[in-house]
Amino acid sequence: MLILLAWNLVRLWSTAAAVVMSVFAAALPPIAVVIANWGEDH
């Protein structure tokens, strides 16, 4: 959803902002997994 918003709406104002949003959207799932598993035994 965030990538679609970036490339369909934000791109009209700033391509760089759309790229940053896309990178952020791609990085969210791995970060969420690390945070979700933070309290478990390593």
Side-chain angles (χ1 to χ4, degrees), residues 2-4 7 9-10 13-14 22 27-28 30 33-35 38-39:
L2 189 59
I3 293 174
L4 290 175
W7 288 108
L9 187 62
V10 177
W13 290 283
S14 171
S22 297
L28 273 178
V33 168
V34 169
I35 292 172
W38 194 259

Side-chain angles (χ1 to χ4, degrees), residues 11-37:
R11 176 180 53 85
L12 299 175
W13 290 283
S14 171
T15 303
V19 170
V20 169
M21 285 178 69
S22 297
V23 169
F24 180 71
L28 273 178
I31 292 170
V33 168
V34 169
I35 292 172
N37 293 322

